[in-house]
Amino acid sequence: MLALPRLLLPPSLLCTISNPHPLSLLTTTTTTTTRRIIALSQSRQHAAAIPSESAVRDFWQWLSDEGVANSSSSPPPVKPEFVPEGLGLVAQRDITKNEVVVEVPKKLWINPDTVAASDIGRVCGGLKPWVAISLFLLREKALGSASSWRPYLDILPLATDSPIFWSEEELSEIQGTQLLSTIMGVKEFVQSEFIKVEDDVILPNKDLFSSPITFNDFLWAFGILRSRAFPRLRGENLALIPLADLINHSSSITSEDSFWEIKGKGFFSRELIFSLRTPIYVKAGDQVYIQYDLAKSNAELALDYGFIESRQDREVYTLTLEITESDPFYGDKLDIAETNGLGETAYFDVILGSPLPPSMLPYLRLVALGGTDAFLLESIFRNSVWGHLELPVSRANEETICRVVRDACKSALSAYHTTIEEGLAYSFLET
């Protein structure tokens, strides 16, 4: 029996801070949905209150007091200033390509070590890094002026542009997309983590968490971490880097070279610092940008940062396939799949304008094997069967997989509340 491709939330997405999986918009309505997301993002761009000028000045003074804003060159390469995106790093002088623009010592990072050394460290042992750091942010925020981190916390937005903060009415605009199902799955995951940490840590330790912490508070901290953590500083290495995390994204920067590093400094290079460089030449008065991640799909960009791009290779549709336990050849098919690096459930990212993933058709043919084609499942073919599956097995097998994929696409399209033509007309009226 062939299992229908299903639109499932990959388990890896449940570790959203450490390894987000690309779930994205249905490619057949990309233009319409893209325009709607862009319009929603623009309308929400200043919905979350931006920090006051005095808060930004206090933040810069705090950095100066900590030695971060003091530069051997005068003026410093960059300063935080108000930009169309909210806050950003603006060049104070001409900056050459690959020049270091920010260096932040480890003492100003917010990471699991920061939490462990804090007053709540003793009750956060064993928590996931992002959960522990979320609790730290919320407690320090509640302390107000008593927190040494207040200058940094005061410049953080009340919400990001991520659709996890959208209203039900706004989310209805992306009905039918995989992005919507991903958002719902992420929020359910964050809520389940909140319920656990509330029962295990927050409520039993009211002496440490004297101010109430709600799910919305916890979701805020999650959104802050997701939008501000640098790509390789996630999972066990999760960290917030004040000042450096004000850097904004530009789609015009396409270099895959790393623009930051952690290196030693000082006596015997014992002090770790986060060093951020500009990937291009920047004129004085212009904003410094980086490329967040060339490999991210539009769904990941939307989920993390609240924006998407029109680049074709950002448009991804994740097809989910599985070998069902009711299949009479379940054991043999699973063994073949696992031998070739797959499993009972497999996820294939179909990218607009690109060839299909190499193992997608062989996996489909494997799942569809039956009848007179089932001889390929015999043990004598075990080492060579995958090579056979890379080519059509039989007319019946090919017709089956074509029918199933077609029906799955029809099912996915039926989730949209408008047709493609209606959506394009709607977009035309909005422009």
Side-chain angles (χ1 to χ4, degrees):
M1 177 182 179
L2 177 59
L4 289 178
R6 297 191 296 162
L7 308 184
L8 299 177
L9 185 66
S12 59
L13 190 59
L14 300 184
C15 301
T16 46
I17 287 293
S18 58
N19 184 25
H21 190 284
L23 279 179
S24 189
L25 318 177
L26 188 58
T27 56
T28 48
T29 54
T30 291
T31 302
T32 302
T33 310
T34 296
R35 289 177 179 172
R36 291 186 178 182
I37 291 178
I38 291 173
L40 281 167
S41 297
Q42 289 174 341
S43 67
R44 291 179 54 88
Q45 191 166 20
H46 297 291
I50 60 175
S52 64
E53 290 185 9
S54 61
V56 177
R57 284 196 303 269
D58 290 345
F59 174 62
W60 186 247
Q61 184 60 53
W62 176 68
L63 293 171
S64 181
D65 293 342
E66 296 292 342
V68 176
N70 295 327
S71 173
S72 57
S73 60
S74 182
V78 296
K79 282 186 68 175
E81 294 184 11
F82 294 101
V83 294
E85 297 89 345
L87 276 181
L89 298 179
V90 175
Q92 302 303 294
R93 54 175 172 78
D94 291 351
I95 304 174
T96 60
K97 180 180 178 181
N98 289 325
E99 182 177 344
V100 173
V101 294
V102 170
E103 287 189 335
V104 183
K106 188 178 181 181
K107 67 177 182 178
L108 292 184
W109 306 354
I110 298 179
N111 62 6
D113 291 340
T114 312
V115 180
S118 72
D119 291 340
I120 64 171
R122 62 180 175 83
V123 300
C124 290
L127 294 179
K128 295 173 182 175
W130 76 265
V131 174
I133 295 176
S134 294
L135 291 183
F136 177 83
L137 290 176
L138 294 171
R139 183 175 186 273
E140 293 297 315
K141 193 176 181 183
L143 289 175
S145 59
S147 171
S148 61
W149 295 94
R150 181 176 181 177
Y152 173 62
L153 296 172
D154 281 352
I155 68 159
L156 296 179
L158 300 179
T160 73
D161 289 326
S162 169
I164 64 173
F165 296 109
W166 287 10
S167 66
E168 289 186 10
E169 181 181 358
E170 289 168 328
L171 289 174
S172 69
E173 294 294 324
I174 56 171
Q175 179 181 333
T177 65
Q178 284 189 324
L179 176 59
L180 179 59
S181 63
T182 301
I183 294 165
M184 296 297 100
V186 167
K187 292 183 75 169
E188 288 175 9
F189 167 67
V190 175
Q191 186 161 35
S192 68
E193 291 294 320
F194 172 69
I195 291 171
K196 285 191 294 184
V197 78
E198 183 182 40
D199 291 340
D200 297 344
V201 178
I202 299 173
L203 295 180
N205 296 282
K206 289 187 177 181
D207 56 320
L208 296 174
F209 302 97
S210 55
S211 298
I213 294 177
T214 66
F215 167 67
N216 285 337
D217 295 330
F218 195 67
L219 184 65
W220 169 84
F222 172 86
I224 289 295
L225 290 173
R226 185 155 188 129
S227 65
R228 303 180 89 84
F230 285 83
R232 298 200 310 274
L233 294 183
R234 298 194 175 199
E236 295 300 315
N237 298 316
L238 180 62
L240 291 178
I241 313 292
L243 185 62
D245 63 2
L246 293 180
I247 193 83
N248 286 314
H249 166 89
S250 173
S251 59
S252 65
I253 297 175
T254 57
S255 171
E256 295 189 25
D257 296 336
S258 178
F259 49 83
W260 64 269
E261 62 180 331
I262 293 174
K263 61 184 182 180
K265 192 175 184 179
F267 193 60
F268 292 126
S269 298
R270 289 179 178 174
E271 180 187 10
L272 290 180
I273 62 167
F274 178 95
S275 180
L276 178 68
R277 302 187 305 275
T278 173
I280 59 173
Y281 167 80
V282 183
K283 293 190 299 183
D286 288 350
Q287 189 177 173
V288 179
Y289 290 101
I290 59 171
Q291 164 64 236
Y292 281 173
D293 194 334
L294 284 172
K296 282 185 182 291
S297 68
N298 264 337
E300 291 178 293
L301 291 177
L303 194 64
D304 287 353
Y305 312 114
F307 68 80
I308 58 178
E309 295 181 352
S310 58
R311 276 177 39 195
Q312 187 167 278
D313 58 354
R314 295 280 197 192
E315 301 296 352
V316 180
Y317 183 78
T318 301
L319 194 66
T320 303
L321 305 170
E322 69 173 6
I323 303 168
T324 62
E325 292 187 6
S326 60
D327 191 316
F329 304 106
Y330 171 79
D332 290 324
K333 291 181 179 180
L334 181 58
D335 182 46
I336 293 169
E338 290 178 342
T339 300
N340 291 277
L342 298 167
E344 180 179 6
T345 303
Y347 307 98
F348 299 98
D349 292 337
V350 181
I351 302 174
L352 185 62
S354 298
L356 293 174
S359 56
M360 180 178 144
L361 287 178
Y363 189 89
L364 268 169
R365 291 173 181 133
L366 172 66
V367 176
L369 275 182
T372 56
D373 298 324
F375 74 93
L376 288 171
L377 298 171
E378 294 179 12
S379 58
I380 58 172
F381 296 109
R382 195 55 44 99
N383 294 328
S384 61
V385 65
W386 197 257
H388 291 293
L389 294 172
E390 290 177 344
L391 297 172
V393 173
S394 67
R395 183 182 182 89
N397 185 272
E398 290 296 292
E399 288 178 345
T400 298
I401 66 174
C402 288
R403 182 177 66 253
V404 168
V405 172
R406 181 193 61 197
D407 291 346
C409 290
K410 285 183 178 179
S411 175
L413 285 169
S414 69
Y416 286 81
H417 62 282
T418 59
T419 65
I420 296 175
E421 292 74 19
E422 290 170 338
L424 289 172
Y426 175 89
S427 297
F428 176 77
L429 291 174
E430 285 193 328
T431 56

